[in-house]
Amino acid sequence: MRSRDLPGVVRSSGTGFGNAAAVAAGACQAWSRVPALDKVFSKNDSTSEVYFDRAAGAAALARSAAEPDDRYDALDKALQDVVRRLETYNLEGAEAVSAYEKAGTVCVDVAG
């Protein structure tokens, strides 16, 4: 059951659970600080760890934005695709570049 289906969950424009727009914006802010997927696993371990954390954090925020508000499903799907690529080290080639670019494009759409 998705949280939006729970009784008593109210969508609001405040700072509570229902403020999906702010959460989606946060996801995109984190994502905008990941320069490329192939930088996530680079030779500089401290830098790559930061990029990994930003990508994973963006995906977690996107998921929490999409839970109460379907308008952010595309953002969630795009960033979950990126996380799957990180988990499987599938970070090179045209499909990886496309996944990275798609997440950025969806973020531009979210910013509207």
Side-chain angles (χ1 to χ4, degrees):
M1 173 182 288
R2 292 181 71 150
S3 54
R4 70 170 158 255
D5 299 327
L6 296 173
V9 173
V10 177
R11 294 183 195 173
S12 71
S13 60
T15 58
F17 175 78
N19 195 7
V23 176
C28 290
Q29 284 291 320
W31 180 247
S32 72
R33 288 164 178 78
V34 177
L37 288 185
D38 62 353
K39 300 289 185 193
V40 174
F41 293 109
S42 67
K43 293 180 182 178
N44 185 340
D45 288 336
S46 63
T47 301
S48 66
E49 185 175 327
V50 168
Y51 294 149
F52 181 89
D53 289 345
R54 288 176 184 168
L61 287 169
R63 168 75 33 100
S64 67
E67 283 289 323
D69 194 330
D70 290 340
R71 293 178 296 172
Y72 302 107
D73 281 347
L75 177 64
D76 177 37
K77 288 176 184 170
L79 288 171
Q80 297 313 315
D81 181 35
V82 168
V83 167
R84 280 189 293 281
R85 290 180 178 285
L86 295 175
E87 291 170 344
T88 60
Y89 301 97
N90 183 6
L91 305 173
E92 296 179 354
E95 289 182 3
V97 171
S98 177
Y100 176 82
E101 290 173 350
K102 179 173 183 162
T105 298
V106 173
C107 279
V108 168
D109 293 343
V110 165

